[in-house]
């Protein structure tokens, strides 16, 4: 997907138009992965069953709530860079690296899917660093660092549930 330029006055924030477009494309991919992860986590929260129901139901709620709040942060950074944020399922499906889970997996399989989705989102965030560093874009680098910390920690916590 090519980033669509907003119809706003030109920006002069010290990042070239071409670098902003590259950063926005990466952030749009991160937003799509983040939304896909949010949706998967919320779905699993609703549908988890079994002996670990209470702990997983609560854990998933904490995770989808955090993820929901992150969507706004990522989208607002895209807007600050002068572009519209993608906001449709169609756009997210084109951009995301996360595969949709069909049906209702068992609890342990839900956790495995979430580990993979957290790790995929972390990889997407990490892949944007070279572009952001080359453009000297500290706010986006800070956002990416914060997202990476959360995704890596959450993946570790989920993996720990599987370590029996």
């Amino acid at each position: 997907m090519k980033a669509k330029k907003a119809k706003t006055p030109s920006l002069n924030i010290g990042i070239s138009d071409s670098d902003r477009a590259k950063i926005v494309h990466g952030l749009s991919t991160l937003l799509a992965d983040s939304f896909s992860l949010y949706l998967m986590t919320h779905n699993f929260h609703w549908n988890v069953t079994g002996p670990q129901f209470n702990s997983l139901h609560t854990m998933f709620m904490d995770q989808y709530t955090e993820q929901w709040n992150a969507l706004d942060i990522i989208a607002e950074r895209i807007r600050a860079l002068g572009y519209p944020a993608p906001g449709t399922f169609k756009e997210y499906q084109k951009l995301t690296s996360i595969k949709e889970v069909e049906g209702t997996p068992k609890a342990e399989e839900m956790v495995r899917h979430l580990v993979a989705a957290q790790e995929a989102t972390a990889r997407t965030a990490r892949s944007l660093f070279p572009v952001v560093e080359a453009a000297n874009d500290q706010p986006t680098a800070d956002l990416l660092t914060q997202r990476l910390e959360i995704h890596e920690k959450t993946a570790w916590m989920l993996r720990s549930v599987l370590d029996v």
Side-chain angles (χ1 to χ4, degrees):
M1 174 194 124
K2 197 149 185 145
K4 296 175 192 163
K5 186 135 172 65
K7 293 179 180 169
T8 58
S10 64
L11 293 177
N12 185 9
I13 60 172
I15 302 173
S16 73
D17 290 346
S18 65
D19 283 344
R20 282 189 300 110
K22 290 176 197 171
I23 293 165
V24 165
H25 177 72
L27 286 172
S28 295
T29 303
L30 179 61
L31 183 61
D33 278 358
S34 297
F35 187 85
S36 298
L37 174 59
Y38 158 78
L39 194 58
M40 180 188 297
T41 308
H42 210 148
N43 174 30
F44 291 168
H45 164 79
W46 290 329
N47 292 301
V48 68
T49 59
Q52 292 181 298
F53 168 79
N54 196 46
S55 61
L56 290 178
H57 185 75
T58 301
M59 177 189 266
F60 294 166
M61 183 173 63
D62 291 344
Q63 291 172 5
Y64 79 68
T65 300
E66 190 286 324
Q67 199 62 40
W68 179 256
N69 292 326
L71 297 173
D72 209 45
I73 293 166
I74 299 164
E76 288 179 356
R77 183 63 191 150
I78 292 169
R79 295 296 298 137
L81 291 169
Y83 288 84
T88 66
F89 287 118
K90 186 175 182 178
E91 289 175 296
Y92 292 152
Q93 286 175 319
K94 288 179 187 175
L95 290 166
T96 191
S97 68
I98 296 173
K99 303 287 185 234
E100 189 172 33
V101 177
E102 294 188 25
T104 306
K106 299 285 185 195
E108 184 175 314
E109 200 56 32
M110 288 178 176
V111 174
R112 290 183 195 289
H113 284 296
L114 289 172
V115 168
Q118 289 284 350
E119 290 176 347
T121 307
R123 287 190 305 273
T124 297
R126 192 177 308 283
S127 72
L128 189 50
F129 269 108
V131 175
V132 169
E133 289 171 355
N136 201 26
D137 181 1
Q138 293 87 0
T140 302
D142 184 52
L143 180 154
L144 295 172
T145 299
Q146 290 175 41
R147 298 310 312 147
L148 273 169
E149 181 179 2
I150 289 164
H151 292 299
E152 290 175 356
K153 182 177 182 179
T154 304
W156 157 63
M157 289 181 166
L158 288 163
R159 279 191 308 272
S160 295
V161 170
L162 297 172
D163 191 22
V164 286

